[in-house]
């Protein structure tokens, strides 16, 4: 279940992850997910090595659906405030989309734990 109370089916250890939020891209890096992250936004500039090597799937407000489909993700990570609702609704028809909704430090801690749990990392 994501932070918006939505349930989804996610593989036990997703191997093809797309991040639609810069701060969460940095978290995925810190969790050591390296090769498992296949796509990021054009605003995900940290870590610099990922910015230079990962596929870019558009921006946070306007994602490139064709690029996302071509990457065949088994998990997409987004955020209620950062991403366009229509884009997320379209994506969740085809892929597992885990959404964060962070308003305070407690929510941030739950987001970090939730993504760690989803990816089998700490």
């Amino acid at each position: 279940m994501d932070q918006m109370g939505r349930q989804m089916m996610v593989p036990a250890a997703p191997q093809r992850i797309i991040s639609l939020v810069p701060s969460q891209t940095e978290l995925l890096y810190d969790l050591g997910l390296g090769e498992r992250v296949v796509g990021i936004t054009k605003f995900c500039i940290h870590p610099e090595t990922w910015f230079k090597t990962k596929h870019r799937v558009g921006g946070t407000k306007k994602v490139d659906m064709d690029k996302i489909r071509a990457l065949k993700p088994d998990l997409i990570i987004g955020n209620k405030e950062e991403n366009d609702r229509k884009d997320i609704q379209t994506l969740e028809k085809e892929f597992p989309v885990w959404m964060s909704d962070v308003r305070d430090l407690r929510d941030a801690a739950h987001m970090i734990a939730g993504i760690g749990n989803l990816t089998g990392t700490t």
Side-chain angles (χ1 to χ4, degrees):
M1 188 170 296
D2 68 11
Q3 287 190 298
M4 293 179 58
R6 304 164 335 119
Q7 280 191 297
M8 79 235 23
M9 296 298 295
V10 178
Q15 298 298 306
R16 301 192 58 78
I17 303 168
I18 292 177
S19 173
L20 300 178
V21 183
S23 60
Q24 290 171 182
T25 297
E26 292 179 41
L27 171 62
L28 296 172
Y29 177 82
D30 289 340
L31 291 173
L33 292 168
E35 296 302 315
R36 292 169 59 186
V37 176
V38 296
I40 60 176
T41 75
K42 64 184 180 181
F43 300 112
C44 298
I45 60 172
H46 299 288
E48 187 176 343
T49 56
W50 281 19
F51 183 72
K52 291 179 178 180
T53 60
K54 301 289 182 188
H55 294 280
R56 286 192 217 94
V57 297
T60 56
K61 301 288 184 204
K62 185 171 168 95
V63 299
D64 186 323
M65 296 295 175
D66 291 333
K67 286 182 179 179
I68 289 176
R69 288 182 182 111
L71 291 172
K72 299 179 175 135
D74 51 12
L75 176 61
I76 297 172
I77 298 175
N79 176 269
K80 179 182 175 184
E81 296 299 320
E82 291 285 330
N83 303 120
D84 181 75
R85 185 179 196 165
K86 287 182 182 179
D87 285 348
I88 296 303
Q89 288 172 335
T90 299
L91 290 169
E92 67 187 0
K93 291 177 184 173
E94 300 178 50
F95 308 103
V97 179
W98 191 92
M99 296 294 290
S100 65
D101 184 14
V102 177
R103 290 176 252 165
D104 56 30
L105 186 57
R106 182 174 177 225
D107 291 343
H110 284 132
M111 181 269 297
I112 293 168
I115 291 175
N117 186 43
L118 273 178
T119 60
T121 57
T122 57

